[in-house]
Amino acid sequence: MASSRVIFNLTLPFPSDAPPIPSTCHSLSLSHSPLFTTPKIVCSSVRRRTCGAVYSHMTMEEKPLSENRMLVYVPPHPLIKHWVSVLRNEQTPCPIFRNAMAELGRLLMYEASRDWLPTVSGEIQSPMAVASVEFIDPREPVAVIPILRAGLALAEHASSILPATKTYHLGIRRDEETLQPTIYLNKLPEKFPEGSKVFVVDPMLATGGTIVAALSLLKDRGVGNKHIKVISAVSAPPALQKLSEQFPGLHVYTGIIDPEVNEKGFIIPGLGDAGDRSYGTDT
């Protein structure tokens, strides 16, 4: 069955009195080009209504995706919506919040690893007969890079779904006044092997400063945009716009896209400070 794509242009920042727009379920792609003043989002989905304050122009058409577009995927699985809802609730206690973050990360990494993992084929003897089989190639582990602190919770179940992984910790602190990122821990190797596949796990893509700093470090270490997949619980347009401008070909997998970021750099409605709520702190 042929699928249709809803194409609309975003005007950023979002006006406060704009009407709601159709949201996405499957995939979105943001492209940045000198020909466009705003990013274009292409989504494959059955449309539904949501409260997103944004002016839009929509057409239904089939259009091939450019390899240089940044793609943003919002998987439609009901469990993803469930765990996002648990995370949003201000009454969710710390242990349940952290578990919800871990479960959401597991689902997003499952979706992100589809058609991406290297495999080896062969034959084995089953209890009944010889069977042709296919395994994930353990010689090419996926690099998982959680951005501390909250990235640890979102990446907690990575090893339970990925047969071979290497974990590199990256600590980035955001100044609450300037909203600028500061790197305080860097366990990345000086150079990644050619062709390395990398998951960068950052629960909140808000202003985009932290994720841009992280991906810049990977670029300096030889990892191309098309070999990186970003895993995020909640994303917002300012961060996605920065990523689309600076990292063409990148793939982002997120539980939901919220409409705005406030003056303090928090996503609205968002889920609060993911690190504090994951570990029961307020610093």
Side-chain angles (χ1 to χ4, degrees):
M1 180 182 297
S3 61
S4 60
R5 294 190 177 93
V6 183
I7 302 176
F8 52 92
N9 291 318
L10 297 184
T11 300
L12 300 174
F14 292 145
S16 59
D17 59 347
I21 63 166
S23 181
T24 84
C25 284
H26 274 204
S27 65
L28 303 92
S29 67
L30 279 77
S31 63
H32 181 76
S33 164
L35 299 178
F36 297 97
T37 57
T38 57
K40 178 177 288 186
I41 295 183
V42 182
C43 26
S44 302
S45 171
V46 176
R47 296 178 293 167
R48 60 184 176 85
R49 300 292 288 183
T50 188
C51 295
V54 55
Y55 289 117
S56 65
H57 171 70
M58 296 184 299
T59 59
M60 300 292 290
E61 64 179 55
E62 290 292 333
K63 198 168 187 178
L65 294 179
S66 167
E67 291 185 358
N68 291 324
R69 285 182 176 177
M70 187 188 82
L71 300 180
V72 181
Y73 296 89
V74 183
H77 201 293
L79 283 174
I80 290 178
K81 297 175 184 178
H82 169 81
W83 293 119
V84 168
S85 300
V86 173
L87 293 171
R88 285 210 196 274
N89 188 354
E90 66 176 358
Q91 300 301 321
T92 299
C94 172
I96 296 178
F97 184 93
R98 191 166 61 246
N99 179 71
M101 189 70 77
E103 291 298 327
L104 179 61
R106 185 211 303 266
L107 293 167
L108 291 172
M109 282 185 274
Y110 172 83
E111 293 290 343
S113 60
R114 189 189 304 270
D115 301 325
W116 202 52
L117 301 176
T119 60
V120 291
S121 302
E123 291 185 341
I124 61 171
Q125 179 69 48
S126 83
M128 304 302 295
V130 174
S132 297
V133 295
E134 192 169 316
F135 293 100
I136 303 300
D137 191 343
R139 298 168 298 181
E140 299 185 40
V142 174
V144 179
I145 303 174
I147 298 180
L148 279 54
R149 293 174 297 162
L152 290 173
L154 195 61
E156 184 174 339
H157 291 329
S159 61
S160 70
I161 61 167
L162 299 171
T165 62
K166 288 185 177 180
T167 302
Y168 302 96
H169 295 96
L170 187 59
I172 302 179
R173 180 185 296 109
R174 187 177 71 174
D175 187 289
E176 297 304 324
E177 297 296 327
T178 66
L179 303 183
Q180 296 302 307
T182 300
I183 299 170
Y184 65 88
L185 178 69
N186 182 354
K187 291 296 185 179
L188 301 180
E190 288 299 319
K191 201 75 174 178
F192 281 87
E194 184 177 354
S196 293
K197 298 179 184 295
V198 180
F199 281 153
V200 179
V201 184
D202 186 5
M204 312 296 290
L205 302 185
T207 63
T210 296
I211 191 64
V212 166
L215 297 187
S216 296
L217 289 175
L218 288 176
K219 184 176 180 180
D220 292 341
R221 285 159 172 76
V223 184
N225 299 342
K226 295 178 182 179
H227 288 87
I228 301 172
K229 294 194 177 184
V230 175
I231 306 297
S232 170
V234 183
S235 300
L240 296 178
Q241 182 175 6
K242 285 183 181 178
L243 291 175
S244 70
E245 293 169 354
Q246 300 184 40
F247 301 97
L250 183 72
H251 287 189
V252 176
Y253 286 76
T254 185
I256 198 165
I257 300 175
D258 278 351
E260 61 181 306
V261 174
N262 68 13
E263 67 280 359
K264 294 183 178 180
F266 282 92
I267 298 174
I268 304 298
L271 47 83
D273 188 302
D276 288 347
R277 295 192 66 195
S278 291
Y279 299 103
T281 61
D282 57 4
T283 58

Short mmCIF file of all heavy atoms in Angstrom, two decimals, residues 3-8 22-31 40-48 61-66 69-77 80-81 108 111-112 114 229 240 250-257:
data_model
loop_
_atom_site.label_atom_id
_atom_site.label_comp_id
_atom_site.label_asym_id
_atom_site.label_seq_id
_atom_site.Cartn_x
_atom_site.Cartn_y
_atom_site.Cartn_z
N SER A 3 2.14 4.87 0.78
CA SER A 3 1.92 5.77 1.91
C SER A 3 2.08 7.20 1.44
O SER A 3 2.76 7.49 0.47
CB SER A 3 2.93 5.47 3.02
OG SER A 3 4.24 5.68 2.57
N SER A 4 1.44 8.12 2.14
CA SER A 4 1.53 9.54 1.82
C SER A 4 2.32 10.26 2.89
O SER A 4 2.39 9.81 4.03
CB SER A 4 0.14 10.16 1.68
OG SER A 4 -0.56 10.01 2.89
N ARG A 5 2.90 11.38 2.53
CA ARG A 5 3.66 12.17 3.50
C ARG A 5 3.01 13.53 3.66
O ARG A 5 2.56 14.13 2.70
CB ARG A 5 5.11 12.35 3.04
CG ARG A 5 5.89 11.05 3.00
CD ARG A 5 7.37 11.33 2.77
NE ARG A 5 8.13 10.10 2.80
CZ ARG A 5 8.43 9.37 1.73
NH1 ARG A 5 8.03 9.78 0.55
NH2 ARG A 5 9.11 8.26 1.83
N VAL A 6 2.95 13.98 4.89
CA VAL A 6 2.47 15.31 5.18
C VAL A 6 3.67 16.23 5.26
O VAL A 6 4.59 15.99 6.03
CB VAL A 6 1.72 15.35 6.53
CG1 VAL A 6 1.16 16.73 6.77
CG2 VAL A 6 0.62 14.30 6.55
N ILE A 7 3.71 17.27 4.44
CA ILE A 7 4.84 18.18 4.40
C ILE A 7 4.40 19.53 4.92
O ILE A 7 3.43 20.09 4.45
CB ILE A 7 5.39 18.33 2.98
CG1 ILE A 7 5.80 16.96 2.43
CG2 ILE A 7 6.56 19.30 2.94
CD1 ILE A 7 6.26 17.01 1.00
N PHE A 8 5.11 20.05 5.92
CA PHE A 8 4.78 21.38 6.40
C PHE A 8 6.04 22.11 6.82
O PHE A 8 7.01 21.52 7.26
CB PHE A 8 3.76 21.35 7.55
CG PHE A 8 4.11 20.46 8.70
CD1 PHE A 8 4.79 20.93 9.79
CD2 PHE A 8 3.71 19.13 8.68
CE1 PHE A 8 5.08 20.10 10.85
CE2 PHE A 8 4.01 18.29 9.74
CZ PHE A 8 4.69 18.79 10.83
N PRO A 22 -1.48 18.95 12.62
CA PRO A 22 -1.39 17.49 12.67
C PRO A 22 -0.02 17.06 13.18
O PRO A 22 0.99 17.65 12.82
CB PRO A 22 -1.59 17.07 11.21
CG PRO A 22 -2.30 18.23 10.58
CD PRO A 22 -1.78 19.45 11.29
N SER A 23 0.01 16.04 14.01
CA SER A 23 1.27 15.55 14.56
C SER A 23 1.73 14.33 13.79
O SER A 23 1.09 13.91 12.84
CB SER A 23 1.07 15.22 16.04
OG SER A 23 2.26 14.77 16.62
N THR A 24 2.83 13.72 14.23
CA THR A 24 3.40 12.60 13.50
C THR A 24 3.34 11.32 14.31
O THR A 24 3.27 11.36 15.52
CB THR A 24 4.87 12.83 13.16
OG1 THR A 24 5.64 12.44 14.29
CG2 THR A 24 5.17 14.25 12.83
N CYS A 25 3.41 10.23 13.63
CA CYS A 25 3.57 8.95 14.30
C CYS A 25 4.82 8.24 13.82
O CYS A 25 5.51 7.65 14.61
CB CYS A 25 2.36 8.07 14.10
SG CYS A 25 0.94 8.53 15.10
N HIS A 26 5.14 8.29 12.55
CA HIS A 26 6.27 7.52 12.08
C HIS A 26 7.53 8.36 11.99
O HIS A 26 8.20 8.54 12.98
CB HIS A 26 5.95 6.87 10.74
CG HIS A 26 5.26 5.57 10.89
ND1 HIS A 26 5.28 4.59 9.94
CD2 HIS A 26 4.52 5.08 11.90
CE1 HIS A 26 4.58 3.55 10.35
NE2 HIS A 26 4.11 3.83 11.54
N SER A 27 7.89 8.86 10.84
CA SER A 27 9.19 9.50 10.72
C SER A 27 9.05 10.93 10.24
O SER A 27 8.12 11.26 9.51
CB SER A 27 10.08 8.73 9.74
OG SER A 27 9.54 8.77 8.45
N LEU A 28 9.99 11.76 10.69
CA LEU A 28 10.06 13.14 10.24
C LEU A 28 11.45 13.40 9.74
O LEU A 28 12.41 12.83 10.23
CB LEU A 28 9.77 14.12 11.38
CG LEU A 28 8.47 14.01 12.15
CD1 LEU A 28 8.66 13.12 13.33
CD2 LEU A 28 8.02 15.38 12.58
N SER A 29 11.57 14.29 8.76
CA SER A 29 12.91 14.67 8.33
C SER A 29 13.00 16.18 8.27
O SER A 29 12.12 16.83 7.74
CB SER A 29 13.24 14.07 6.96
OG SER A 29 12.44 14.65 5.97
N LEU A 30 14.07 16.71 8.85
CA LEU A 30 14.31 18.14 8.79
C LEU A 30 15.43 18.39 7.82
O LEU A 30 16.47 17.76 7.88
CB LEU A 30 14.71 18.69 10.16
CG LEU A 30 13.58 18.97 11.15
CD1 LEU A 30 13.11 17.66 11.75
CD2 LEU A 30 14.03 19.92 12.23
N SER A 31 15.24 19.32 6.91
CA SER A 31 16.30 19.66 5.98
C SER A 31 16.64 21.12 6.13
O SER A 31 15.77 21.94 6.38
CB SER A 31 15.87 19.38 4.53
OG SER A 31 14.77 20.18 4.18
N LYS A 40 12.27 22.08 6.99
CA LYS A 40 11.08 21.39 6.46
C LYS A 40 11.01 20.03 7.11
O LYS A 40 11.99 19.33 7.22
CB LYS A 40 11.19 21.23 4.94
CG LYS A 40 10.02 20.46 4.34
CD LYS A 40 10.12 20.38 2.84
CE LYS A 40 9.83 21.71 2.19
NZ LYS A 40 9.79 21.60 0.73
N ILE A 41 9.83 19.66 7.56
CA ILE A 41 9.62 18.37 8.19
C ILE A 41 8.74 17.52 7.28
O ILE A 41 7.69 17.96 6.84
CB ILE A 41 8.96 18.51 9.57
CG1 ILE A 41 9.92 19.25 10.51
CG2 ILE A 41 8.62 17.17 10.14
CD1 ILE A 41 9.39 19.37 11.90
N VAL A 42 9.21 16.32 6.99
CA VAL A 42 8.44 15.38 6.17
C VAL A 42 8.07 14.22 7.06
O VAL A 42 8.93 13.62 7.69
CB VAL A 42 9.28 14.87 4.99
CG1 VAL A 42 8.45 13.93 4.13
CG2 VAL A 42 9.80 16.03 4.18
N CYS A 43 6.79 13.90 7.14
CA CYS A 43 6.39 12.82 8.02
C CYS A 43 5.52 11.81 7.31
O CYS A 43 4.68 12.17 6.52
CB CYS A 43 5.67 13.34 9.27
SG CYS A 43 4.87 14.91 9.06
N SER A 44 5.76 10.52 7.62
CA SER A 44 4.94 9.44 7.10
C SER A 44 4.05 8.96 8.24
O SER A 44 4.54 8.40 9.19
CB SER A 44 5.82 8.29 6.62
OG SER A 44 6.70 8.74 5.63
N SER A 45 2.76 9.18 8.14
CA SER A 45 1.93 8.88 9.28
C SER A 45 0.45 9.05 8.96
O SER A 45 0.07 9.75 8.05
CB SER A 45 2.30 9.84 10.42
OG SER A 45 1.39 9.71 11.47
N VAL A 46 -0.36 8.44 9.80
CA VAL A 46 -1.76 8.80 9.88
C VAL A 46 -1.83 10.02 10.77
O VAL A 46 -1.25 10.04 11.84
CB VAL A 46 -2.59 7.65 10.50
CG1 VAL A 46 -4.04 8.08 10.66
CG2 VAL A 46 -2.48 6.42 9.62
N ARG A 47 -2.51 11.07 10.34
CA ARG A 47 -2.48 12.31 11.08
C ARG A 47 -3.42 12.29 12.27
O ARG A 47 -4.45 11.66 12.26
CB ARG A 47 -2.84 13.48 10.16
CG ARG A 47 -1.85 13.70 9.04
CD ARG A 47 -2.29 14.84 8.16
NE ARG A 47 -3.51 14.48 7.44
CZ ARG A 47 -4.26 15.36 6.79
NH1 ARG A 47 -3.95 16.63 6.80
NH2 ARG A 47 -5.34 14.96 6.15
N ARG A 48 -3.05 13.03 13.32
CA ARG A 48 -3.93 13.23 14.45
C ARG A 48 -3.76 14.65 14.94
O ARG A 48 -2.79 15.31 14.64
CB ARG A 48 -3.62 12.24 15.58
CG ARG A 48 -2.21 12.35 16.13
CD ARG A 48 -1.95 11.28 17.17
NE ARG A 48 -0.59 11.31 17.64
CZ ARG A 48 -0.17 12.10 18.62
NH1 ARG A 48 -0.98 12.92 19.22
NH2 ARG A 48 1.09 12.05 19.02
N GLU A 61 1.90 14.67 -0.65
CA GLU A 61 2.62 14.30 -1.85
C GLU A 61 3.68 13.27 -1.53
O GLU A 61 4.10 13.09 -0.39
CB GLU A 61 3.29 15.53 -2.47
CG GLU A 61 4.36 16.16 -1.60
CD GLU A 61 5.01 17.37 -2.26
OE1 GLU A 61 4.28 18.28 -2.65
OE2 GLU A 61 6.24 17.34 -2.38
N GLU A 62 4.11 12.56 -2.55
CA GLU A 62 5.22 11.64 -2.44
C GLU A 62 6.50 12.36 -2.83
O GLU A 62 6.54 13.04 -3.85
CB GLU A 62 5.01 10.43 -3.35
CG GLU A 62 3.90 9.50 -2.90
CD GLU A 62 4.25 8.77 -1.63
OE1 GLU A 62 5.46 8.57 -1.37
OE2 GLU A 62 3.35 8.40 -0.88
N LYS A 63 7.53 12.22 -2.02
CA LYS A 63 8.77 12.91 -2.32
C LYS A 63 9.94 12.09 -1.81
O LYS A 63 9.94 11.66 -0.66
CB LYS A 63 8.77 14.29 -1.64
CG LYS A 63 9.79 15.26 -2.21
CD LYS A 63 9.51 16.66 -1.68
CE LYS A 63 10.40 17.68 -2.36
NZ LYS A 63 10.11 19.05 -1.90
N PRO A 64 10.94 11.81 -2.63
CA PRO A 64 12.08 11.02 -2.16
C PRO A 64 12.86 11.77 -1.09
O PRO A 64 12.99 12.99 -1.12
CB PRO A 64 12.93 10.84 -3.43
CG PRO A 64 12.54 11.97 -4.32
CD PRO A 64 11.09 12.24 -4.04
N LEU A 65 13.38 11.03 -0.11
CA LEU A 65 14.16 11.63 0.96
C LEU A 65 15.60 11.81 0.54
O LEU A 65 16.23 10.90 0.01
CB LEU A 65 14.10 10.76 2.22
CG LEU A 65 12.73 10.63 2.88
CD1 LEU A 65 12.83 9.71 4.08
CD2 LEU A 65 12.17 11.98 3.27
N SER A 66 16.15 12.99 0.80
CA SER A 66 17.55 13.24 0.50
C SER A 66 18.43 12.59 1.55
O SER A 66 18.11 12.57 2.73
CB SER A 66 17.80 14.76 0.48
OG SER A 66 19.18 15.02 0.48
N ARG A 69 19.43 14.90 4.50
CA ARG A 69 18.48 15.41 5.47
C ARG A 69 18.71 14.77 6.83
O ARG A 69 19.07 13.60 6.93
CB ARG A 69 17.06 15.11 5.02
CG ARG A 69 16.55 16.00 3.90
CD ARG A 69 15.14 15.65 3.57
NE ARG A 69 14.58 16.55 2.57
CZ ARG A 69 13.37 16.41 2.06
NH1 ARG A 69 12.61 15.41 2.44
NH2 ARG A 69 12.93 17.27 1.16
N MET A 70 18.49 15.56 7.87
CA MET A 70 18.43 14.97 9.19
C MET A 70 17.04 14.37 9.38
O MET A 70 16.04 15.02 9.11
CB MET A 70 18.66 16.02 10.28
CG MET A 70 18.78 15.40 11.65
SD MET A 70 18.84 16.62 12.97
CE MET A 70 17.09 16.96 13.16
N LEU A 71 16.98 13.13 9.80
CA LEU A 71 15.71 12.43 9.98
C LEU A 71 15.38 12.36 11.47
O LEU A 71 16.24 12.01 12.28
CB LEU A 71 15.76 11.03 9.39
CG LEU A 71 16.05 10.94 7.88
CD1 LEU A 71 16.06 9.49 7.44
CD2 LEU A 71 15.03 11.74 7.10
N VAL A 72 14.15 12.66 11.81
CA VAL A 72 13.67 12.57 13.18
C VAL A 72 12.52 11.56 13.22
O VAL A 72 11.53 11.73 12.51
CB VAL A 72 13.18 13.94 13.70
CG1 VAL A 72 12.71 13.82 15.15
CG2 VAL A 72 14.27 14.98 13.58
N TYR A 73 12.68 10.52 14.03
CA TYR A 73 11.68 9.46 14.11
C TYR A 73 10.96 9.53 15.46
O TYR A 73 11.60 9.59 16.51
CB TYR A 73 12.34 8.08 13.98
CG TYR A 73 12.99 7.84 12.64
CD1 TYR A 73 14.32 8.20 12.42
CD2 TYR A 73 12.28 7.26 11.59
CE1 TYR A 73 14.93 7.99 11.19
CE2 TYR A 73 12.88 7.05 10.36
CZ TYR A 73 14.20 7.41 10.17
OH TYR A 73 14.79 7.21 8.95
N VAL A 74 9.64 9.51 15.39
CA VAL A 74 8.81 9.42 16.59
C VAL A 74 8.03 8.11 16.48
O VAL A 74 6.94 8.08 15.88
CB VAL A 74 7.85 10.62 16.71
CG1 VAL A 74 7.04 10.54 17.99
CG2 VAL A 74 8.62 11.93 16.66
N PRO A 75 8.56 7.00 16.98
CA PRO A 75 7.91 5.71 16.77
C PRO A 75 6.50 5.69 17.36
O PRO A 75 6.27 6.24 18.45
CB PRO A 75 8.83 4.72 17.51
CG PRO A 75 10.16 5.41 17.54
CD PRO A 75 9.84 6.86 17.70
N PRO A 76 5.54 5.05 16.68
CA PRO A 76 4.14 5.09 17.10
C PRO A 76 3.76 4.05 18.13
O PRO A 76 2.58 3.89 18.42
CB PRO A 76 3.40 4.85 15.78
CG PRO A 76 4.31 3.94 15.02
CD PRO A 76 5.71 4.39 15.36
N HIS A 77 4.71 3.32 18.69
CA HIS A 77 4.37 2.22 19.60
C HIS A 77 3.64 2.74 20.84
O HIS A 77 4.08 3.72 21.46
CB HIS A 77 5.64 1.48 20.00
CG HIS A 77 5.39 0.09 20.50
ND1 HIS A 77 4.71 -0.17 21.67
CD2 HIS A 77 5.71 -1.11 19.97
CE1 HIS A 77 4.63 -1.47 21.85
NE2 HIS A 77 5.22 -2.07 20.83
N ILE A 80 5.72 3.31 23.98
CA ILE A 80 6.50 4.54 24.01
C ILE A 80 5.64 5.68 24.54
O ILE A 80 6.07 6.47 25.41
CB ILE A 80 7.06 4.86 22.61
CG1 ILE A 80 8.16 3.85 22.26
CG2 ILE A 80 7.59 6.29 22.53
CD1 ILE A 80 8.77 4.03 20.89
N LYS A 81 4.41 5.77 24.07
CA LYS A 81 3.50 6.81 24.57
C LYS A 81 3.23 6.62 26.06
O LYS A 81 3.14 7.59 26.82
CB LYS A 81 2.20 6.77 23.78
CG LYS A 81 2.37 7.07 22.30
CD LYS A 81 1.06 6.90 21.54
CE LYS A 81 1.27 7.11 20.06
NZ LYS A 81 0.02 6.89 19.28
N LEU A 108 13.32 2.80 22.25
CA LEU A 108 13.86 3.69 21.22
C LEU A 108 15.11 3.10 20.58
O LEU A 108 15.32 3.22 19.37
CB LEU A 108 14.17 5.06 21.82
CG LEU A 108 12.94 5.89 22.22
CD1 LEU A 108 13.37 7.15 22.97
CD2 LEU A 108 12.10 6.27 21.00
N GLU A 111 14.09 0.43 18.13
CA GLU A 111 13.67 1.02 16.86
C GLU A 111 14.86 1.55 16.07
O GLU A 111 14.94 1.39 14.85
CB GLU A 111 12.66 2.14 17.11
CG GLU A 111 11.33 1.68 17.67
CD GLU A 111 10.50 0.92 16.66
OE1 GLU A 111 10.79 1.00 15.45
OE2 GLU A 111 9.54 0.23 17.07
N ALA A 112 15.80 2.18 16.77
CA ALA A 112 16.94 2.80 16.09
C ALA A 112 17.90 1.77 15.50
O ALA A 112 18.60 2.05 14.53
CB ALA A 112 17.69 3.72 17.06
N ARG A 114 17.08 -1.03 14.09
CA ARG A 114 16.47 -1.77 12.98
C ARG A 114 17.23 -1.47 11.68
O ARG A 114 17.47 -0.32 11.34
CB ARG A 114 15.01 -1.36 12.84
CG ARG A 114 14.20 -2.20 11.88
CD ARG A 114 12.84 -1.56 11.66
NE ARG A 114 12.12 -1.33 12.90
CZ ARG A 114 11.29 -2.23 13.44
NH1 ARG A 114 11.12 -3.40 12.86
NH2 ARG A 114 10.65 -1.95 14.57
N LYS A 229 23.29 7.88 15.75
CA LYS A 229 21.87 7.97 16.02
C LYS A 229 21.69 8.52 17.43
O LYS A 229 22.28 8.01 18.38
CB LYS A 229 21.18 6.62 15.87
CG LYS A 229 21.21 6.13 14.41
CD LYS A 229 20.27 4.98 14.16
CE LYS A 229 20.28 4.58 12.69
NZ LYS A 229 19.31 3.53 12.36
N LEU A 240 16.34 20.64 17.46
CA LEU A 240 16.25 19.95 16.18
C LEU A 240 16.69 20.86 15.04
O LEU A 240 17.31 20.40 14.08
CB LEU A 240 14.82 19.46 15.95
CG LEU A 240 14.31 18.42 16.94
CD1 LEU A 240 12.87 18.04 16.64
CD2 LEU A 240 15.20 17.17 16.95
N LEU A 250 22.13 13.07 10.00
CA LEU A 250 21.95 12.52 11.34
C LEU A 250 20.55 11.93 11.48
O LEU A 250 19.59 12.39 10.85
CB LEU A 250 22.13 13.66 12.36
CG LEU A 250 22.04 13.29 13.84
CD1 LEU A 250 23.27 12.49 14.26
CD2 LEU A 250 21.91 14.56 14.69
N HIS A 251 20.42 10.88 12.33
CA HIS A 251 19.11 10.31 12.66
C HIS A 251 18.84 10.53 14.15
O HIS A 251 19.71 10.24 14.98
CB HIS A 251 19.07 8.82 12.36
CG HIS A 251 19.01 8.52 10.89
ND1 HIS A 251 18.77 7.24 10.40
CD2 HIS A 251 19.15 9.31 9.80
CE1 HIS A 251 18.78 7.27 9.07
NE2 HIS A 251 19.01 8.51 8.69
N VAL A 252 17.65 11.03 14.46
CA VAL A 252 17.24 11.26 15.85
C VAL A 252 16.00 10.43 16.13
O VAL A 252 15.03 10.46 15.37
CB VAL A 252 16.93 12.76 16.10
CG1 VAL A 252 16.41 12.97 17.52
CG2 VAL A 252 18.16 13.62 15.85
N TYR A 253 16.02 9.67 17.22
CA TYR A 253 14.87 8.89 17.67
C TYR A 253 14.40 9.45 19.00
O TYR A 253 15.17 9.50 19.96
CB TYR A 253 15.23 7.41 17.83
CG TYR A 253 15.38 6.69 16.50
CD1 TYR A 253 16.52 6.88 15.73
CD2 TYR A 253 14.38 5.85 16.03
CE1 TYR A 253 16.66 6.24 14.50
CE2 TYR A 253 14.51 5.20 14.80
CZ TYR A 253 15.65 5.40 14.05
OH TYR A 253 15.78 4.77 12.84
N THR A 254 13.15 9.88 19.05
CA THR A 254 12.65 10.54 20.26
C THR A 254 11.26 10.05 20.61
O THR A 254 10.50 9.64 19.72
CB THR A 254 12.66 12.08 20.07
OG1 THR A 254 12.30 12.72 21.28
CG2 THR A 254 11.71 12.50 18.95
N GLY A 255 10.94 10.09 21.91
CA GLY A 255 9.63 9.64 22.34
C GLY A 255 8.52 10.59 21.95
O GLY A 255 7.41 10.17 21.65
N ILE A 256 8.84 11.90 21.94
CA ILE A 256 7.84 12.90 21.58
C ILE A 256 8.55 14.21 21.25
O ILE A 256 9.68 14.45 21.70
CB ILE A 256 6.83 13.10 22.73
CG1 ILE A 256 5.56 13.79 22.24
CG2 ILE A 256 7.46 13.84 23.91
CD1 ILE A 256 4.40 13.71 23.21
N ILE A 257 7.91 15.04 20.44
CA ILE A 257 8.40 16.38 20.15
C ILE A 257 7.45 17.38 20.78
O ILE A 257 6.26 17.42 20.44
CB ILE A 257 8.51 16.64 18.64
CG1 ILE A 257 9.47 15.63 18.00
CG2 ILE A 257 8.99 18.07 18.36
CD1 ILE A 257 9.55 15.74 16.48
#
